[in-house]
Coordinates of all heavy atoms in Angstrom, one line a residue:
M11 N 209.7 -70.6 6.1 CA 208.4 -70.3 5.5 C 208.3 -68.8 5.2 O 207.8 -68.5 4.1 CB 207.3 -70.8 6.4 CG 205.9 -70.7 5.7 SD 205.3 -72.4 5.8 CE 203.8 -72.1 5.0
A12 N 208.6 -68.0 6.1 CA 208.5 -66.6 5.9 C 209.5 -66.1 4.8 O 209.2 -65.2 4.1 CB 208.8 -65.8 7.2
E13 N 210.6 -66.8 4.7 CA 211.6 -66.4 3.7 C 211.0 -66.7 2.3 O 211.3 -66.0 1.3 CB 212.9 -67.2 3.9 CG 213.7 -66.7 5.1 CD 214.9 -67.6 5.3 OE1 215.4 -68.2 4.4 OE2 215.4 -67.5 6.5
Q14 N 210.3 -67.8 2.1 CA 209.7 -68.1 0.9 C 208.7 -67.1 0.4 O 208.6 -66.7 -0.7 CB 209.0 -69.5 0.9 CG 209.9 -70.7 1.0 CD 209.1 -72.0 1.1 OE1 208.0 -72.0 1.6 NE2 209.8 -73.0 0.7
K15 N 207.9 -66.5 1.4 CA 206.9 -65.5 1.0 C 207.6 -64.2 0.6 O 207.2 -63.6 -0.4 CB 206.0 -65.2 2.2 CG 205.1 -66.3 2.5 CD 204.2 -65.9 3.7 CE 203.2 -67.0 4.1 NZ 202.4 -66.6 5.2
K16 N 208.7 -63.9 1.2 CA 209.5 -62.7 0.9 C 210.1 -62.8 -0.5 O 210.0 -61.9 -1.3 CB 210.6 -62.4 1.9 CG 210.1 -61.9 3.2 CD 211.2 -61.7 4.2 CE 210.7 -61.3 5.5 NZ 211.8 -61.1 6.5
T17 N 210.6 -64.0 -0.8 CA 211.2 -64.2 -2.2 C 210.1 -64.2 -3.2 O 210.4 -63.8 -4.4 CB 212.1 -65.5 -2.2 OG1 211.3 -66.6 -1.8 CG2 213.3 -65.4 -1.3
A18 N 209.0 -64.8 -2.9 CA 207.9 -64.8 -3.9 C 207.4 -63.4 -4.2 O 207.1 -63.1 -5.4 CB 206.7 -65.7 -3.4
E19 N 207.3 -62.6 -3.2 CA 206.8 -61.2 -3.4 C 207.9 -60.4 -4.2 O 207.5 -59.6 -5.0 CB 206.6 -60.6 -2.1 CG 205.3 -61.1 -1.4 CD 205.1 -60.5 0.0 OE1 205.9 -59.6 0.4 OE2 204.2 -60.9 0.7
A20 N 209.1 -60.7 -3.9 CA 210.2 -60.0 -4.6 C 210.3 -60.4 -6.1 O 210.7 -59.6 -7.0 CB 211.5 -60.2 -3.9
A21 N 209.9 -61.6 -6.4 CA 210.0 -62.2 -7.8 C 208.9 -61.6 -8.6 O 209.0 -61.6 -9.9 CB 209.9 -63.7 -7.7
K22 N 207.8 -61.1 -8.1 CA 206.7 -60.6 -8.9 C 207.1 -59.3 -9.6 O 207.7 -58.4 -8.9 CB 205.5 -60.3 -8.0 CG 204.7 -61.5 -7.5 CD 203.5 -61.0 -6.7 CE 202.8 -62.2 -6.1 NZ 201.6 -61.7 -5.3
P23 N 206.8 -59.1 -10.9 CA 207.2 -57.9 -11.5 C 206.2 -56.8 -11.1 O 205.1 -57.0 -10.8 CB 207.0 -58.2 -13.0 CG 206.1 -59.3 -13.0 CD 206.3 -60.1 -11.8
A24 N 206.7 -55.6 -11.0 CA 205.9 -54.4 -10.6 C 204.9 -54.1 -11.7 O 205.2 -54.1 -12.8 CB 206.8 -53.2 -10.3
E25 N 203.7 -53.9 -11.3 CA 202.6 -53.6 -12.3 C 202.8 -52.1 -12.7 O 202.9 -51.2 -11.9 CB 201.3 -53.7 -11.6 CG 200.1 -53.6 -12.6 CD 198.8 -54.0 -12.0 OE1 198.7 -54.9 -11.2 OE2 197.8 -53.3 -12.3
E26 N 202.9 -52.0 -14.1 CA 203.1 -50.6 -14.6 C 201.8 -49.9 -14.7 O 200.8 -50.4 -15.0 CB 203.7 -50.8 -16.0 CG 205.1 -51.4 -16.0 CD 205.7 -51.5 -17.4 OE1 205.2 -50.8 -18.3 OE2 206.6 -52.3 -17.6
K27 N 201.9 -48.6 -14.5 CA 200.7 -47.7 -14.6 C 200.5 -47.4 -16.1 O 201.5 -47.2 -16.8 CB 200.9 -46.5 -13.8 CG 200.8 -46.7 -12.3 CD 200.9 -45.4 -11.6 CE 200.8 -45.5 -10.1 NZ 200.9 -44.3 -9.4
Q28 N 199.3 -47.3 -16.5 CA 199.0 -47.0 -17.9 C 199.2 -45.5 -18.1 O 198.5 -44.7 -17.4 CB 197.6 -47.4 -18.2 CG 197.2 -47.2 -19.6 CD 195.8 -47.6 -19.9 OE1 195.1 -48.3 -19.1 NE2 195.2 -47.2 -21.0
A29 N 200.0 -45.1 -19.0 CA 200.3 -43.7 -19.1 C 199.7 -43.0 -20.3 O 199.5 -41.8 -20.4 CB 201.8 -43.5 -19.2
N30 N 199.3 -43.9 -21.3 CA 198.8 -43.4 -22.6 C 197.4 -44.0 -22.9 O 197.1 -45.1 -22.5 CB 199.7 -43.6 -23.7 CG 201.0 -42.9 -23.6 OD1 201.1 -41.9 -23.0 ND2 202.0 -43.4 -24.2
C31 N 196.6 -43.2 -23.6 CA 195.3 -43.7 -24.0 C 195.5 -44.8 -25.0 O 196.3 -44.8 -25.9 CB 194.5 -42.5 -24.7 SG 192.9 -43.0 -25.4
L32 N 194.6 -45.9 -24.9 CA 194.8 -47.0 -25.8 C 194.3 -46.7 -27.2 O 194.7 -47.4 -28.2 CB 194.0 -48.2 -25.2 CG 194.4 -48.8 -23.9 CD1 193.5 -49.8 -23.4 CD2 195.8 -49.4 -24.1
S33 N 193.4 -45.8 -27.4 CA 192.9 -45.4 -28.7 C 193.8 -44.5 -29.4 O 194.2 -44.7 -30.6 CB 191.5 -44.8 -28.5 OG 191.0 -44.5 -29.7
C34 N 194.1 -43.3 -28.8 CA 194.8 -42.3 -29.6 C 196.2 -42.1 -29.1 O 197.0 -41.3 -29.7 CB 194.1 -40.9 -29.4 SG 194.0 -40.3 -27.7
N35 N 196.7 -42.8 -28.1 CA 198.0 -42.8 -27.6 C 198.4 -41.5 -27.0 O 199.6 -41.2 -26.9 CB 199.0 -43.3 -28.6 CG 200.2 -43.9 -28.0 OD1 200.2 -44.4 -26.9 ND2 201.3 -43.8 -28.7
K36 N 197.5 -40.6 -26.6 CA 197.8 -39.4 -25.9 C 198.1 -39.7 -24.5 O 197.7 -40.7 -23.9 CB 196.6 -38.4 -25.9 CG 196.3 -37.8 -27.2 CD 195.2 -36.8 -27.0 CE 194.7 -36.3 -28.3 NZ 193.5 -35.4 -28.1
Q37 N 198.9 -38.8 -23.8 CA 199.1 -39.0 -22.4 C 197.9 -38.7 -21.6 O 197.1 -37.8 -21.9 CB 200.2 -38.0 -22.0 CG 200.6 -38.1 -20.5 CD 201.7 -37.1 -20.1 OE1 202.0 -36.3 -20.9 NE2 202.2 -37.3 -18.9
I38 N 197.6 -39.6 -20.6 CA 196.4 -39.5 -19.8 C 196.7 -38.6 -18.6 O 197.6 -38.8 -17.9 CB 195.9 -40.9 -19.3 CG1 195.5 -41.7 -20.5 CG2 194.8 -40.7 -18.4 CD1 195.2 -43.1 -20.2
K39 N 195.9 -37.5 -18.5 CA 196.1 -36.6 -17.4 C 195.2 -37.0 -16.2 O 194.1 -37.6 -16.4 CB 195.8 -35.2 -17.8 CG 196.8 -34.7 -18.9 CD 196.5 -33.3 -19.3 CE 197.5 -33.0 -20.4 NZ 197.3 -31.7 -21.0
K40 N 195.7 -36.8 -15.0 CA 194.9 -37.2 -13.9 C 193.5 -36.6 -13.7 O 192.6 -37.3 -13.4 CB 195.8 -36.9 -12.6 CG 195.2 -37.6 -11.4 CD 196.1 -37.4 -10.2 CE 195.6 -38.1 -9.0 NZ 196.5 -38.0 -7.8
L41 N 193.4 -35.3 -14.1 CA 192.1 -34.7 -13.9 C 191.1 -35.1 -15.0 O 189.9 -35.1 -14.8 CB 192.3 -33.1 -14.0 CG 193.1 -32.5 -12.8 CD1 193.3 -31.1 -13.1 CD2 192.4 -32.8 -11.5
K42 N 191.6 -35.4 -16.2 CA 190.7 -35.8 -17.3 C 191.0 -37.2 -17.8 O 191.9 -37.4 -18.6 CB 190.8 -34.8 -18.4 CG 189.8 -35.0 -19.5 CD 190.0 -34.0 -20.6 CE 189.0 -34.3 -21.7 NZ 189.1 -33.4 -22.8
R43 N 190.3 -38.2 -17.2 CA 190.5 -39.6 -17.7 C 189.2 -40.3 -17.6 O 188.3 -40.0 -16.8 CB 191.6 -40.3 -16.9 CG 191.3 -40.4 -15.4 CD 192.5 -41.0 -14.7 NE 192.2 -40.9 -13.2 CZ 193.1 -41.2 -12.3 NH1 194.3 -41.6 -12.7 NH2 192.8 -41.1 -11.1
Y44 N 189.1 -41.3 -18.4 CA 187.9 -42.1 -18.5 C 188.2 -43.6 -18.3 O 189.1 -44.1 -19.0 CB 187.3 -41.9 -19.9 CG 185.9 -42.3 -20.0 CD1 184.8 -41.6 -19.5 CD2 185.6 -43.5 -20.7 CE1 183.5 -42.0 -19.6 CE2 184.2 -43.9 -20.9 CZ 183.2 -43.2 -20.3 OH 181.9 -43.6 -20.4
Y45 N 187.6 -44.2 -17.3 CA 188.0 -45.5 -16.9 C 186.8 -46.5 -17.2 O 185.7 -46.3 -16.8 CB 188.2 -45.6 -15.4 CG 188.6 -46.9 -14.8 CD1 189.9 -47.3 -14.9 CD2 187.7 -47.7 -14.1 CE1 190.3 -48.6 -14.4 CE2 188.1 -48.9 -13.6 CZ 189.3 -49.3 -13.7 OH 189.7 -50.5 -13.2
R46 N 187.2 -47.5 -18.1 CA 186.2 -48.5 -18.4 C 187.0 -49.8 -18.6 O 188.1 -49.9 -19.2 CB 185.5 -48.2 -19.8 CG 184.5 -47.2 -19.7 CD 183.3 -47.7 -18.9 NE 182.2 -46.8 -18.9 CZ 181.9 -46.0 -17.9 NH1 182.7 -46.0 -16.8 NH2 180.9 -45.2 -17.9
D47 N 186.4 -50.9 -18.2 CA 186.9 -52.3 -18.3 C 188.4 -52.4 -17.9 O 189.2 -53.0 -18.6 CB 186.8 -52.7 -19.8 CG 185.3 -52.7 -20.3 OD1 184.4 -53.0 -19.5 OD2 185.1 -52.3 -21.4
S48 N 188.7 -51.9 -16.7 CA 190.0 -52.0 -16.2 C 191.1 -51.2 -17.0 O 192.3 -51.6 -16.9 CB 190.4 -53.4 -16.0 OG 189.5 -54.1 -15.3
K49 N 190.7 -50.3 -17.8 CA 191.6 -49.5 -18.6 C 191.3 -48.1 -18.6 O 190.1 -47.7 -18.4 CB 191.6 -50.1 -20.1 CG 192.1 -51.5 -20.1 CD 191.9 -52.1 -21.5 CE 192.2 -53.5 -21.4 NZ 191.4 -54.3 -22.4
F50 N 192.3 -47.2 -18.9 CA 192.1 -45.8 -18.9 C 192.1 -45.3 -20.3 O 192.9 -45.7 -21.1 CB 193.1 -45.1 -18.1 CG 193.0 -45.2 -16.6 CD1 193.7 -46.1 -15.9 CD2 192.1 -44.5 -15.9 CE1 193.6 -46.3 -14.5 CE2 191.9 -44.6 -14.5 CZ 192.7 -45.5 -13.8
Y51 N 191.2 -44.3 -20.6 CA 191.2 -43.6 -21.9 C 191.2 -42.1 -21.6 O 190.8 -41.7 -20.5 CB 189.9 -44.0 -22.7 CG 189.8 -45.5 -22.9 CD1 189.1 -46.3 -21.9 CD2 190.4 -46.1 -24.0 CE1 189.0 -47.7 -22.1 CE2 190.3 -47.5 -24.1 CZ 189.6 -48.3 -23.2 OH 189.5 -49.6 -23.4
C52 N 191.5 -41.3 -22.6 CA 191.5 -39.9 -22.4 C 190.1 -39.3 -22.4 O 189.9 -38.2 -21.9 CB 192.5 -39.2 -23.3 SG 192.1 -39.3 -25.0
S53 N 189.2 -39.9 -23.1 CA 187.8 -39.4 -23.1 C 186.8 -40.5 -23.5 O 187.2 -41.6 -23.9 CB 187.7 -38.3 -24.1 OG 187.9 -38.8 -25.4
K54 N 185.6 -40.2 -23.4 CA 184.5 -41.2 -23.7 C 184.6 -41.5 -25.2 O 184.3 -42.6 -25.6 CB 183.2 -40.7 -23.3 CG 182.0 -41.7 -23.4 CD 180.8 -41.2 -22.9 CE 179.7 -42.2 -22.9 NZ 178.4 -41.7 -22.3
K55 N 184.9 -40.5 -26.0 CA 185.0 -40.7 -27.4 C 186.1 -41.7 -27.8 O 185.9 -42.5 -28.7 CB 185.2 -39.3 -28.1 CG 185.3 -39.4 -29.6 CD 185.7 -38.1 -30.2 CE 185.8 -38.3 -31.7 NZ 186.7 -37.3 -32.3
C56 N 187.2 -41.6 -27.2 CA 188.3 -42.5 -27.4 C 187.9 -43.9 -27.0 O 188.3 -44.9 -27.7 CB 189.6 -42.1 -26.7 SG 190.4 -40.8 -27.6
W57 N 187.2 -44.1 -25.9 CA 186.7 -45.4 -25.5 C 185.8 -46.0 -26.5 O 185.9 -47.2 -26.9 CB 186.0 -45.3 -24.1 CG 185.3 -46.5 -23.7 CD1 185.9 -47.7 -23.4 CD2 183.9 -46.7 -23.6 NE1 184.9 -48.6 -23.0 CE2 183.7 -48.1 -23.2 CE3 182.8 -45.9 -23.9 CZ2 182.4 -48.6 -23.0 CZ3 181.5 -46.5 -23.7 CH2 181.4 -47.8 -23.2
K58 N 184.9 -45.2 -27.1 CA 184.0 -45.7 -28.1 C 184.7 -46.0 -29.4 O 184.4 -47.1 -30.0 CB 182.9 -44.7 -28.4 CG 181.8 -44.5 -27.3 CD 180.8 -43.6 -27.7 CE 179.7 -43.5 -26.6 NZ 178.6 -42.6 -26.9
D59 N 185.7 -45.2 -29.8 CA 186.5 -45.5 -30.9 C 187.3 -46.8 -30.8 O 187.4 -47.7 -31.7 CB 187.5 -44.4 -31.2 CG 186.8 -43.2 -31.8 OD1 185.7 -43.3 -32.2 OD2 187.5 -42.1 -31.7
Y60 N 187.8 -47.1 -29.6 CA 188.6 -48.3 -29.3 C 187.6 -49.5 -29.4 O 188.0 -50.5 -30.0 CB 189.2 -48.2 -27.9 CG 190.0 -49.4 -27.5 CD1 191.3 -49.5 -28.0 CD2 189.5 -50.4 -26.7 CE1 192.1 -50.6 -27.7 CE2 190.3 -51.5 -26.3 CZ 191.6 -51.6 -26.8 OH 192.4 -52.6 -26.5
I61 N 186.4 -49.4 -28.9 CA 185.5 -50.5 -29.0 C 185.1 -50.8 -30.4 O 185.0 -51.9 -30.9 CB 184.2 -50.2 -28.1 CG1 184.5 -50.0 -26.7 CG2 183.1 -51.2 -28.3 CD1 185.1 -51.3 -26.0
R62 N 184.9 -49.7 -31.2 CA 184.5 -49.8 -32.6 C 185.6 -50.5 -33.4 O 185.4 -51.4 -34.2 CB 184.2 -48.4 -33.2 CG 183.8 -48.5 -34.6 CD 183.5 -47.1 -35.2 NE 184.6 -46.1 -34.9 CZ 185.7 -46.0 -35.6 NH1 186.0 -46.8 -36.6 NH2 186.6 -45.1 -35.2
K63 N 186.9 -50.1 -33.2 CA 188.0 -50.7 -33.8 C 188.1 -52.2 -33.5 O 188.5 -53.0 -34.4 CB 189.3 -50.0 -33.5 CG 189.4 -48.6 -34.1 CD 190.7 -47.9 -33.7 CE 190.7 -46.5 -34.1 NZ 191.9 -45.7 -33.6
A64 N 187.9 -52.5 -32.2 CA 188.0 -53.9 -31.8 C 187.0 -54.8 -32.5 O 187.2 -55.9 -32.9 CB 187.9 -54.0 -30.3
K65 N 185.8 -54.2 -32.7 CA 184.7 -55.0 -33.4 C 185.0 -55.2 -34.8 O 184.8 -56.2 -35.4 CB 183.4 -54.3 -33.2 CG 182.7 -54.4 -31.9 CD 181.4 -53.7 -31.8 CE 180.8 -53.8 -30.4 NZ 179.5 -53.1 -30.3
E66 N 185.6 -54.2 -35.5 CA 186.0 -54.3 -36.9 C 187.1 -55.3 -37.1 O 187.1 -56.0 -38.1 CB 186.4 -52.9 -37.4 CG 185.3 -51.9 -37.6 CD 185.8 -50.5 -38.0 OE1 187.0 -50.4 -38.2 OE2 185.0 -49.7 -38.2
E67 N 188.0 -55.4 -36.2 CA 189.1 -56.3 -36.3 C 188.6 -57.8 -36.1 O 189.2 -58.7 -36.7 CB 190.2 -56.0 -35.2 CG 191.0 -54.8 -35.5 CD 192.0 -54.5 -34.4 OE1 192.2 -55.3 -33.5 OE2 192.7 -53.5 -34.6
K68 N 187.6 -58.0 -35.3 CA 187.0 -59.3 -35.1 C 186.4 -59.8 -36.4 O 186.4 -61.0 -36.7 CB 186.0 -59.3 -34.0 CG 186.6 -59.3 -32.6 CD 185.6 -59.5 -31.6 CE 186.2 -59.4 -30.2 NZ 185.2 -59.6 -29.1
K69 N 185.8 -58.9 -37.2 CA 185.1 -59.4 -38.4 C 186.1 -59.7 -39.5 O 186.9 -60.2 -39.8 CB 184.3 -58.2 -39.0 CG 183.1 -58.0 -38.1 CD 182.2 -56.9 -38.7 CE 181.0 -56.6 -37.8 NZ 180.2 -55.6 -38.4

């Protein structure tokens, strides 16, 4: 039973850290980052732009 748990844990892919802003694709620096909805952005402006673009795509 313990062997099954070990193999199940080993089979999971490692979760990748988000390195770039979703809006502008700039590298996210540790000191300056904006976290919303389980995602990182480089600033509040980029977060708002990303939301705006998503709304336009839905229409």
Side-chain angles (χ1 to χ4, degrees):
M11 186 124 181
E13 291 177 20
Q14 286 179 336
K15 289 182 182 179
K16 288 180 183 178
T17 56
E19 290 175 7
K22 289 183 185 178
E25 189 173 320
E26 295 181 19
K27 291 185 179 180
Q28 184 181 346
N30 295 334
C31 176
L32 294 174
S33 178
C34 65
N35 207 27
K36 286 183 190 175
Q37 183 180 6
I38 296 175
K39 297 182 179 175
K40 190 173 183 179
L41 292 176
K42 186 179 178 183
R43 61 183 172 190
Y44 194 76
Y45 182 77
R46 284 289 185 262
D47 302 323
S48 306
K49 298 172 185 147
F50 287 101
Y51 304 91
C52 63
S53 66
K54 188 173 184 176
K55 182 183 175 206
C56 280
W57 171 67
K58 287 183 178 184
D59 287 343
Y60 183 78
I61 298 297
R62 181 182 47 82
K63 287 178 187 176
K65 285 182 182 179
E66 288 176 0
E67 288 178 4
K68 284 186 178 180
K69 290 182 181 180

